[in-house]
Amino acid sequence: MEEAVRSDEVTADDELTDGPLAAGTQTLVRTPADADPVSALPDRAFDNLLVVSARDHPNRLQTRLERAGHDPANVGVVPVVPATDEYEGDLWTTDPVNPDDLTGLAMRFSDAMQYVEPGRGWVLTDALGVLLTYTEDARVSRFFQTLTSRVRTQDVRGVYCANPDVIADETYGRLRAMCDAEHELG
C-alpha cells in the first residue's frame, strides 16, 4: 500500500529534521521493522521527550539514547511490555503496562504527560503495530484518537511509528487520518 503524501504537507526531511515542526503537530511515521523509531526525531526532541515504548525495554532505550549523545534524564518512558525486568537507569519511567491493557496505558500516559512541556515537548510512540497484535483495531483506533487529541491539545509534537506492512490498510488509513502529516523512515 503506497499512500502519496498530500501536496500541502511539508516534505519528510523538513518535517522531522530540518524545518520548524509546529507545536501540536501530529505525525504518523511509516517505520520498517528493522528501523530505529528514535532516529525519526530531531535532536531538539530529546530535551523534553516522552516515549510510549512497546518496542524496547527502558535499558535498551537508554543505551540507544546514550550512543546518540542524548541525556536520558530528559526522556520519560511508558514501558508497554508483557513482562519487564526492573529498571534503575536515568530515564524517568512509569510502571510497565501490558499491551492489551489500553485503559492502564491511557492512565500511565496521562500521568506522564504532566512532565511534557507545552509548546516544547515531544511524544514518541515507537510501535503501534504491537498494540494491534494484542487488541482489536477499533479499540486501538479509539485509543490513538484519545492520545493524539491529548498531545495536540497540550501543544506537544507527536510522532507515532507504525509498520504499514503489519497493519491492515483500513486501520492504517484511520490512524493516518488522525494525524497532520506522514513521514517515511528508511
Side-chain angles (χ1 to χ4, degrees):
M1 170 194 102
E2 283 300 315
E3 181 174 321
V5 176
R6 295 187 328 236
S7 61
D8 63 334
E9 292 175 1
V10 178
T11 64
D13 288 339
D14 290 339
E15 184 180 323
L16 288 175
T17 56
D18 299 330
L21 186 64
T25 301
Q26 307 304 296
T27 304
L28 186 63
V29 178
R30 297 167 68 96
T31 313
D34 61 346
D36 176 10
V38 174
S39 68
L41 299 173
D43 285 341
R44 65 186 181 275
F46 297 94
D47 292 336
N48 185 236
L49 174 65
L50 173 61
V51 180
V52 177
S53 185
R55 180 182 168 127
D56 290 329
H57 183 278
N59 287 324
R60 186 172 178 195
L61 181 59
Q62 180 171 332
T63 299
R64 286 181 180 195
L65 293 170
E66 290 172 341
R67 283 187 193 148
H70 302 295
D71 183 357
N74 296 332
V75 179
V77 181
V78 178
V80 183
V81 290
T84 188
D85 297 329
E86 292 295 317
Y87 172 73
E88 296 184 18
D90 294 331
L91 301 167
W92 50 274
T93 65
T94 67
D95 289 333
V97 61
N98 286 320
D100 63 348
D101 182 8
L102 296 182
T103 301
L105 177 54
M107 291 170 47
R108 284 174 182 81
F109 175 77
S110 182
D111 291 343
M113 279 299 288
Q114 70 182 321
Y115 300 105
V116 182
E117 296 177 35
R120 182 173 168 257
W122 291 70
V123 169
L124 170 70
T125 300
D126 67 3
L128 289 168
V130 171
L131 300 179
L132 288 161
T133 301
Y134 289 88
T135 307
E136 43 300 326
D137 295 11
R139 286 193 64 222
V140 172
S141 292
R142 284 191 305 273
F143 168 76
F144 188 68
Q145 182 175 22
T146 301
L147 183 77
T148 57
S149 295
R150 172 77 191 271
V151 173
R152 183 178 283 118
T153 300
Q154 195 163 325
D155 211 20
V156 170
R157 293 157 186 90
V159 177
Y160 311 99
C161 297
N163 182 345
D165 295 335
V166 298
I167 297 175
D169 290 351
E170 181 179 327
T171 302
Y172 186 87
R174 270 185 281 179
L175 299 175
R176 171 61 184 97
M178 291 181 236
C179 292
D180 306 307
E182 185 177 30
H183 173 77
E184 185 153 353
L185 189 61

